[in-house]
Amino acid sequence: MSYNSLGPVTNVCIVSDRRNCPPSYTMLDRTADGEEADFWKDSLFKSKVKRYLCFTRDNRPAQNQLNQVITDLALIGLKDSVPPGYTGIKETADTHEQALRKHILCVRYIVKTSTNSAIVDITLARDNSYKAAMYTLVGEVNGINLTFKLAQLVTATRPAPPPPRLVNEAPIGSPPPQTNQHLQQPSYGSLQRIKSQHTQIGIEGVPFKLNDRLVKTPGTSNMNDLPNITYRSLAELTESTSYDFSREKSIVNNFM
């Protein structure tokens, strides 16, 4: 079996009733050797409480808006803190009750484009058969070994686009186009000289000079002729430019 063809697991949940498995999810209500896979079953007393693990590979945008995959699973105690980067499943998806009796299942979600590997399969077994299939053991819940298969993600490769073709590119086999040997890229010095000439000459027919008000003549100071700019503080500027739109508000209220 090719695990890459299965696709990565995108979400997991725990339900209290077999009939409440979400659409597009796979319920693990049996172990690999055919025994019931109830995570809550009490070995001493018959209990009506049931807990079953479900997972999905659904990658549709409506079901997986963040385009995330699961890269790791972990089991911790009820009083332990959820590790950074993980999400703890503390409630059942159907009844919002306590998910597991003694543990919290922690899930690590990663954006698909940010990882090269992800979990592609989850199985339950009461023996060590998972080792031969190279599955990773998460832990034991109610005597059941929770394991997963980690695999490399296969990304679809697109063919490289053809190289761009110039509009005036000559067909293959045709003689090279005639070029003007006298046209050369101007050097830095020539650009500076051209810039200097235009600075001195200006536009033909239009004299380049300063405004008479800015020309300082001997014995005078024309700077006094410039308009006086009054300094204003932020509070003064706010007060002089404030507008409460009271007239506009009254007009709107009259039409309501």
Side-chain angles (χ1 to χ4, degrees), residues 81-98:
S81 300
V82 177
Y86 287 73
T87 300
I89 300 179
K90 301 180 180 181
E91 297 181 348
T92 56
D94 52 347
T95 60
H96 301 287
E97 298 174 308
Q98 182 176 332

Side-chain angles (χ1 to χ4, degrees), residues 18 25 61 92 94 98 144 157 184 200 222 231 240 247:
R18 286 188 176 95
Y25 278 68
T92 56
D94 52 347
Q98 182 176 332
I144 302 174
T157 57
Q184 298 180 357
Q200 297 174 2
N222 297 82
Y231 171 79
S240 62
R247 181 177 180 85

Side-chain angles (χ1 to χ4, degrees), residues 217-239:
T217 58
T220 63
S221 176
N222 297 82
M223 299 300 294
N224 295 331
D225 298 335
L226 295 177
N228 185 22
I229 301 177
T230 304
Y231 171 79
R232 292 187 181 183
S233 63
L234 178 60
E236 292 174 340
L237 290 173
T238 304
E239 182 180 359

